[in-house]
Every structure is written in C-alpha cells, then in structure tokens.
Amino acid sequence: MNVTLDYGVLAPVLIPALGAVLVLLVDAVLPRLGRWHWAIAAVLLIAGAAACVPAFLSGSDARRTLCLDATQCLYVADRPGSALQTATLVSAAVVALLVLPVRSPADRTPIASALVLTAASGGAGVAAARDLGSWLVLIELATIPTVALVAFRARRSAVDGALSLLTTSLVSFAVLALGAALWFAATGSALLDGDAVLAAAADPQAKRVLVLAVVLIVAGLGFKLSLVPFHAWTPEAYAGASVPIGAFLAVTSKFAALAALLVVLRGVTVLGAPALQAIAVVAAVSMTLGNVMALRESSALRLLAWSTVAQAGWVILPLATVARGAVRAATGYLLVYGLATIVAFAVVTLVAHAEGRGRVVGLSSYAGLFRRRPLAAVTLAVALLTLAGLPPSVVGLVAKVLALRPVAADGLWWLAIVAAVNAMLGLAVYLRWMLAMAGTPAPDTVDDRPHRLHLALVVLGLLALGVTSVAPQLLLGLAG
Amino acid sequence: MNLGIDAPVQPSHLAILLPALGAVVTLVLVRRSSRLAATIAMGASFLGLFGACALLAQQVEGDVARSPRTIGDLALGGGVTAPLRLLVDDWSVLVCVAVALVAFVVQTFARWYLWTDPRYRQFAATVGLFTAAMQLVVLSGDLVLTLVGWELMGWCSYLLIGHESEREKARRAAYKAFLVTRFADAPLLVGIAALAVGARSTDIPTVLRFWLTEPHASATTLTVAVLGIVCGVLGKSAQIPFQDWLPDAMEGPTPASALIHAATMVAAGTVVLARLLPLVQHADHVRLLLVLLAGGTTVVAALLAFFQQDLKKLLAWSTVSQVGIMLTALGVLPVGSGPDTAITHLIGHAAFKALLFLMFGWATVLVGGTVVPRISGVVRRYPELRRMLAVGFLALAGVPPLVGFVSKDLILDSAAHHAADGDGPALLGLVLLGITTVLTAAYAMRAWLIVHHSTVLERRDDRESFEDSYSVENVGIVELFRDSPQVDEWGREIPVADWVASADHDLEPQPGLLPSTGLLILSFLSVVGGAVVASPLLDLDWQSPDWLLIAAALLLMVAAALLVRVASLGTTYGDASERLPQSWRLLASRGLGVDDAYVGLVVRPVLALARTVASLDARLDRGVEATPGLIRSLGDRTSGVHTRRPTSGLLAVVGGVLVVGVLGVALW
C-alpha cells in the first residue's frame, strides 16, 4: 500500500507534538530555564498556527495527506477544520503567554508547557483526522493533559476539579469508544466518511446501529463541549484550576471538541434530520441551564464556566439542522466565543496577577474596576458584550444571527424561540457582571501595576474585538 | 422674447423654495424681533410671488422648463423609480400665481392683525412653510413629491389652527383637523402606492400613461386606487363625510383661515384630483361617487351656511360648499377634457374667499367678534369696509360679471352639455349645482343684510340686555362708555346719525398700506378675475354661453335674494334665519352633530381598542416582571442537583447518554 505523506500539511500537528519533546529535551540540557519554557511553547504554537495559513490562501480545496488512494485520505484539513486548527493553536499560544509571568515551581514549568503543547497538538490533529483510530487517540491526547494541568495548582479545589474532570473524561471515553465500535460494526469501515456511511444508511438494520453510534459519539463529546448533562465538571474545574488554565479549558479544549464533533457529523448529515433532534434538545437544555445557573452565580470563574455551558448550546445550535452553512455557522460562532472568552480570561488573569487571585473570584470584588483599571474594565466589558451579542460588539450579534439562521431556515421554530429567550437571559448574565464592575472600588485595593505581557495581550484582545466588530467577516470568514 | 433660463434653478423651484427658505431663516435667525420676522417672511413671500410671476411669463412665452429636476432619483427599490421631477403646465402655473398672491397678502395682513401676538414669529414661519407645501403640490410631477407637500400641509394646518394653543377649543380644533385629514389620508397612501407599484414609477405622466394605455392593467386595482385617492381628497377638502373639521378650524387666527380656505389645504384636493383627472374619468363608479359626495356636500354645506350664527363659520361652510363645486366640476367633465373649469373656480374662489376672510378679520378687530349680534351693522359704523365686503359677497353669490359668476357658469355649462349627452353623474351634478347656486345667493344675501343692518336702536337694546347678563367685573367699562349713546349736557340722547358721524374713526385700527393694497388687489381680481378664462392658458369655451341657463340661474338667485330680504325685515339683526326654528339653527351650529358621530364611530372604538391593547400590554408587562423570580427559583432548584461531587456528575453523564441514545434511536 502506498501512502502519501506531506509534512507541510501535517505541520500544524507535528510542530506542537515535536515541540513537546523539544521542551523536555531543553529542560534536560538547561534545567534552570524556568518560565522561558512557556515562551518556547508559545513560539512553537504560533509556528504551528502559521503552518495553517496556506489553507486560507489556497481557495476552497481541502488540504489532504496520508492518502491511501485518490479518494481515501486519513488526514483532511478543510476550511472549517483549518480554522479550528488555527484557533486551537493560537489560543494555546495565548494561554502559554498568559501563564508565562505566573510564578510556579521551576521543575513543573517544562512539564506543564509540554502538556499544553501535547493537548494543542491533539486538538489540531483531531480536526483533520478521518479514521476512527487516530480520531480516538487524538481526542484523548487533547483531553488527558488538561487533567494534569488543572491538578497542578495543587489546592484542594484544584484536585477536586481535576478528579471531576478525570472521572467524567474516563466515562466519556468509554462512551466514545462504544460509539466508535458501533460505528465500525455498522459501516464495516474504520473511516469516518465515504461510501461506507452511505451503504450503512441504506440498510435499515445497519442504520439503526449507525444512529446509535452517532448519538453515543455526540454524548461522549458532549463532555468535552460542556453540554448539559455532561457538564458537571466544568464549574469545578474552572474554579479549581489557575486562571490561564481555565482559559485553556474554556477555549482551546472547546475548539478541539467542536472539531472532533464536526468530523463525525459531516459524514452523517447525508442521513437526514430527525436524529439531530437529540442535538437540538441538548442545545436547548444547555443554553437554558447554563444561563439560569450563571444568573445566580456569585463567583466570576464559575460564572465563566456556566457561560461556557450556555455558549456550547449556541455552538451546536446550527448543527441541529441539515441546512447548508450549519457547519460554517457553528465554527464561526465558536471562533467568536473563543476570542471573547480568551480576552475575558486575559483580563481576569491580569487582575489576578496584579491584585491576587482572591480579588477576581467573587463578582463583588470587581466593584470599581472601571475606575481602578479602565483599560482592563473596558476590555472585559467589550468581551462580555460580545458574549451577550449586544452592540457595540457587533461581531457577537452577527454570530448569534448566523447561528440562528440555519435553525430558522429549517423551520425549527421551537428551538429558535428557546434560543431567542436565552439570548435575553444571556444579556442579563453578562450585564450583571458589567454592573458589578461599576461603582466605587473597595478601600483595601491593592493597586499594583499589571504585568507588561498581560497588558499587551489585553490591549491586543481589545484591538481584535474592535476590529472584528467593525469587520466581522475577518473572523467569521475564516470558517469558509 | 426668450425668457427660458438654462440653469438648474428654475422659477418653479423659486416659487416653492423661497417661502420655505423664509420660514427656515425666520425660525433659525430671528429670536425676538417680530419686525425682523415680518420683514423676512413678507420678503420671502414676495420673492415667491415674483418667482411665480416669472413662471407665468415663461409659460405664456412658451419658454418654460416642463419638468425640472429636483433632488434627483429617489432610491425606492423594488423596481419602482421615483424621478422626483416637477411638472409645469398651463393651469398649474395659474394656480401657482394665485397661491403665491394670496399667501403674500395673508403675510402682510397677518403682520397687522397679529401685531401684538408674542408668537407672531412662529406664525409667519408656518405660513411660509404652508405656502411652500402647497406650491409643491401644485407644481409636483411626482406622486412622492405630492405626498410630501400634502402631509406637510396637514402638519402646518395643525400648527396654524392651534396657534392660540392656550385655548382648549383651539387645541381640539387643531387635533381634529389633523386626525380627520390623516384618517382620510390612509386610503390615499394606499391608492398612491397601488398606482406607483402598478406603473413601476411615481412619475405622474408615466403613471397616467400606464394606467390609461396598458391593456392588462387591472381595472379593479385602478378603481380601488382612485377610490383611495378620492377619499384622501375628500378629507383634505372637507367634503362629506369628513366635512366637520373645517368649521372647527375657525379657531385659528383669521389670516390662517384665509390661507387654509382660499388658496391652500382645501384647494389642494382639487389640484391633486385635477392632476389625476384622466384616472378618475377612467373609473366610472368612482366618478359617480365623487359627484354624489361632493355635490351633496355643496348643497348641505350651503344650507348649513345659511343657518350659522357666527359669520366666520358661515364663511367656513361656504368654503366647504365652494370646494364641493370644484370637485363636482371635475366629476361632471366628459372623458378627455381638462380640469380647466374647476381650476378657474379655484382661482376665483381663492381671490374672493381670501378677501372675505381678511375683511372679516378686519371687522373682528373693529367690533371684537363675528357672531351675528356683534357684527350686525358693521358696515354702517365703518363704511370703509363696505365696498370690499360687497365685492366679496357679490363674487361669492355669483353675480355677473364677477369672477364667481364666470367660473360657476362655466361649470354649470359643462355639466349641462355632458348631461345632454346622457351622462348620469353629470345630470346629478347639474341638479345639485343648480340648487347650490340658489342657496349660495341666499346665504350671501343673508350675510350682507346682517353686516348692512341699520336698526341701531334695537341693537342697542339687545346689547344692554346681553351685557347685563355678565357680572359687573366682566363688563369692559371703557367699551361700555365708548359704545353708549352720546348725550348732550341735559342728558338727552344725540340723534343716532350724528353719533355715527362723530365717532372718531382716526382712532380705529386700520390696516397699513401693504395689507390695504393687498385687499384692493384681491377685490380687483374678484371683480375682473373672470377675464382669466380668455387667457391662452385655459382651454375653455367661454364665447358661446348658454344664455337660457344663465337667465334661469340668475332669475332663481334674484328670487332667493328677494325672499331673504323679505325674511330679514323686522328682525333684530337683519338676520333672515331668525324666521326659522331655533332648534334648526342650533343643529346647524353644531354641524348637524357630525362631531358626535366622529366621536361615536371612530374615536370611541379606537380608544377602546387602545385601552384593550394597553391592558394586554400591562398584563404582559406583569408577566415579564415575574420572570426574574421564575428564573431564580429555577436556578435554585437546579443548583440543588449540582452537588459539586464527581459522583453526581457521573450519574448525570450516564443518564444523559441513556436519554440521548433513546431520543436518537426513537426519533430517527
């Protein structure tokens, strides 16, 4: 069998993976390098992201490699896949830069940065995987390191969060493996797309098994996307982990999860709409529960976790339809969510680094942020407005409209109404935080200067949000 | 002589824009000085008149720009083009000059009449804007422009009628005028939209061409559209069933009434309908309806005019009647003929009605009101009013050779000709107009007899009893002394004739040079304005009048006048209607109680609907206000499930897998 191999196409996966090894090697040679490992990781991740750029320049053609013959390729990076790869790597790089100034035991730094690189590599790979085996391995590669990253903070709450994450991920992996097995049983092929799916769909017996496989896969990935009812780990892990790692869970992990889901669903949409009802129900429940819980949450980190749950519902909302552009809408929405969320986490990291973690956990401790740190507060406000989908953050609004359009086009009115009600609830969630930022600062304010790197990242985030609000197609256009 | 101007700005633009510019400049620049406001307003109005005259000269010479551009195409979308061009033709130029002239005279008169009004500035500006809006309607060649001018006029009339907004009655009248005309405008909008969408253009010539020549243009659509337009026109022109706003509009200052009644607002309906006349002639049912309603209005309004106890209201009802004559004239024309008869009447009416209103304004200044007891005998005491009032009433009555006679006779003539050809609506129109001619002569005679009444003694007795009914502090003590009969040193009354003669007329307020000249011009035009039919701008067959018809009409008018004269003998104020039952007069004063009908049929249901909606809204509001609590309790309940232990999370995952699996398999 003759397998083609194109390192240029594989580079987004290979660079971080080899980078993880490199970081460990460098640590062996120069043991006192400390936090500079994060810088190396960030550079490698950016390099990986840069390797994706040709995908956006080469028109609409998917980039393929590891091809068995003219049609069957094991690695296919199409436009949304490439967008998610890029987003995964860039967000991981931002997380690495956010972690960089944080003091931590020197011996943990190389391991933590290697874990971030590994997880990013898994996330980038799963977007392009086209066979069951590598798909399963890569998704675990993207998941398992996060458990360790959460546990690294070594507080009681961090361990609790890591435990919750670990147990849920194990069960979910079991469900995923079961789904993969059923898939193989139904199609008789280890490939995720192609004629085997069509053949299985034509046979009623096989089709039933295939449906069960798809549903189990959705359930298994629901954990990673923080969809209700697979979400219970989310607030625990966010509250337990250090703030930048929370950003990793909230953003990078989600990119990987959606990429994995898209790989499966893209092959299945040929089957028809009704099974996607399960996705519709999950989406509706997720956004409702996420918003309702966020409304009564008093901790900012947990609020962000519930916001993730609610937004995950929005992300898979278009996938409940077979309308054209559903994949593009879901990807576009996730990109906007990821940008806004990582900016919000960057601001929280900045404040936490300058004033101590205790100053960012409770919503009430944000009082007076507009006067205390106007730049950070404005950035956070814009990020929250984007998540709420409220102008002047036009991009958030456009993303919501984009996500609703396939639903309306398919005539799923009950879902559209639930989504509209949740858009309103979401507004209350984020405006609540913004309201908390107004007012006068508490008298015992620690007014240290923020770290320059954090400040630069926050300014960059504000610029990115501003630019995308003026020209939303810059971000949404990445998805195709 | 070549008067054509090869420039983007044509005299037609000036006639429209200058009054509006004057209004804007007045509002923007002038803060307190009434003198400056008056200068600007009158200057702008005069320049507008100059523009209109230039346009007339161009038209006569044939050098006019037929369809000047305005602001360029309007992007309407939907394949409908809106070129927004003006349209200048023979009759629109004549109307334009008449409007400009009346507006100028009204501006000059208003300066004198509202000398002490603190809000003269706003008044002058509104009059300017009003004039501009009317000129826009007159010269418009595009349905959109017509609509703009039309609505602007509605808004300006609201401002003018409600000028004395501290008075409840003025406010109500302004609201009423606005609401009634807006109500009637709704079908107009639908009609215009239907016409424009069908023709894929709002350009009037294009619209006419499409609906008249296109073989597959739907006749039903055309009928409905024309019906809508006629409805809007009936509203603006105060015809049945919308007639009741106009008499109430007398709450506005007299110059405003002169403007609204003579040249703008009510005449706008005639102008628009004249512009779209071919469509009306094409839709036969609508034409019948138009003749029926407008013709009926002329008769009813003339009857009501006869009964009014306030002569200003008499004039208002006479306007309703006269505008009805114009609209009937449009309805009785045979297919293919132009609206020239109606336009002649419009121009003549503009002259004599403006004259009458302004003269009544003058009389109001002199005697403090226009109710019959006050104004009775006014020309005896102030002879300077006599000549112009007489001209006005003679023109109104249609006495030859004044303008009222000429235009009315031409209308009767055209109706008779068309009726002779066997046209039903024309016959109906002829009958109704014939009745109106007689009634008009009757109420004009009655009004003249009242202002000309001479039994001072009886009048004084009555005034005493009238003024005794007030409490002492309400009696104007100075006025009481001034109006009391003069006595000599022995307390004997000086004979009445001497008293009238000895009244010091130099102290009486009198219009200045400009307003007086304006009134003179108007009365001159009222006398000789009929000559306009001989102008090349109007296509009228005036050389072969139907002498029999004229003689019959005149005979009937004379009979009616004599009857009124006889009836007025021996009454307190020379008021012929005193012979008729009191209840009739009261009913007529209330406009046959149509106001109550408006309230009962439209206002109450609308208010009831509004209340229902408001209560529904309040209920919805309560529901919305209850949601935060609902959400909170929901949150409390779900947070109970989240124990923060891994086990409950795992349980949820397992349950979720089961539910999703069942859901997926069951629904596929």
Side-chain angles (χ1 to χ4, degrees), chain B residues 288-522:
Chain B
L288 177 63
L289 186 74
L290 175 69
V291 171
L292 196 66
L293 286 178
T297 309
T298 59
V299 176
V300 173
L303 269 176
L304 288 176
F306 189 80
F307 286 102
Q308 295 304 314
Q309 294 306 296
D310 181 341
L311 290 198
K312 210 178 159 193
K313 279 203 163 183
L314 177 140
L315 283 187
W317 281 112
S318 106
T319 304
V320 175
S321 173
Q322 298 290 318
V323 174
I325 292 177
M326 296 172 211
L327 294 177
T328 314
L330 289 175
V332 299
L333 287 169
V335 175
S337 53
D340 297 23
T341 51
I343 295 299
T344 315
H345 195 61
L346 193 162
I347 295 167
H349 178 251
F352 68 71
K353 192 50 72 69
L355 174 68
L356 278 175
F357 264 110
L358 295 181
M359 291 309 295
F360 269 76
W362 188 355
T364 309
V365 172
L366 293 174
V367 300
T370 52
V371 287
V372 169
R374 278 227 170 254
I375 206 163
S376 172
V378 71
V379 299
R380 294 273 177 178
R381 285 179 64 189
Y382 305 99
E384 64 269 29
L385 300 177
R386 176 196 293 268
R387 215 168 294 146
M388 287 197 265
L389 265 179
V391 166
F393 279 123
L394 286 174
L396 173 61
V399 174
L402 277 75
V403 66
F405 161 76
V406 177
S407 57
K408 215 181 292 180
D409 177 63
L410 283 170
I411 291 171
L412 279 175
D413 210 38
S414 75
H417 275 145
H418 199 197
D421 297 340
D423 186 69
L427 186 62
L428 178 67
L430 181 65
V431 172
L432 292 172
L433 288 179
I435 298 171
T436 308
T437 310
V438 179
L439 288 173
T440 310
Y443 71 71
M445 184 70 183
R446 172 189 165 231
W448 173 251
L449 289 175
I450 290 170
V451 295
H452 200 257
H453 192 55
S454 61
T455 52
V456 180
L457 206 62
E458 282 165 310
R459 195 176 73 238
R460 201 183 59 236
D461 286 349
D462 197 79
R463 187 193 287 127
E464 273 164 8
S465 66
F466 177 71
E467 289 186 345
D468 282 348
S469 64
Y470 283 82
S471 57
V472 174
E473 57 265 39
N474 284 353
V475 177
I477 206 82
V478 175
E479 197 185 347
L480 188 72
F481 278 116
R482 200 182 65 199
D483 290 358
S484 307
Q486 304 273 314
V487 289
D488 59 15
E489 56 264 48
W490 297 283
R492 283 180 310 197
E493 219 174 282
I494 299 174
V496 169
D498 295 353
W499 170 68
V500 171
S502 65
D504 193 355
H505 279 284
D506 289 346
L507 289 179
E508 297 294 350
Q510 208 165 5
L513 181 65
L514 266 179
S516 305
T517 318
L519 290 172
L520 267 179
I521 293 172
L522 286 180

Side-chain angles (χ1 to χ4, degrees), chain B residues 541-609:
Chain B
D541 178 25
W542 57 277
Q543 276 147 329
S544 55
D546 188 342
W547 292 112
L548 208 62
L549 197 66
I550 294 176
L554 285 181
L555 213 60
L556 282 171
M557 281 161 60
V558 169
L562 277 177
L563 199 65
V564 171
R565 176 73 187 107
V566 171
S568 75
L569 288 175
T571 55
T572 318
Y573 303 110
D575 180 2
S577 72
E578 254 179 70
R579 302 273 172 210
L580 296 166
Q582 175 81 14
S583 58
W584 292 14
R585 281 182 282 160
L586 280 177
L587 192 64
S589 295
R590 290 190 291 112
L592 298 177
V594 174
D595 191 88
D596 297 334
Y598 288 175
V599 171
L601 289 178
V602 180
V603 178
R604 289 238 178 80
V606 168
L607 284 181
L609 186 68

Side-chain angles (χ1 to χ4, degrees), chain A residues 94-117:
Chain A
V94 172
V95 169
L97 290 175
L98 284 176
V99 182
L100 197 150
V102 180
R103 273 183 299 279
S104 62
D107 53 335
R108 276 193 203 150
T109 316
I111 302 186
S113 53
L115 286 174
V116 165
L117 281 167

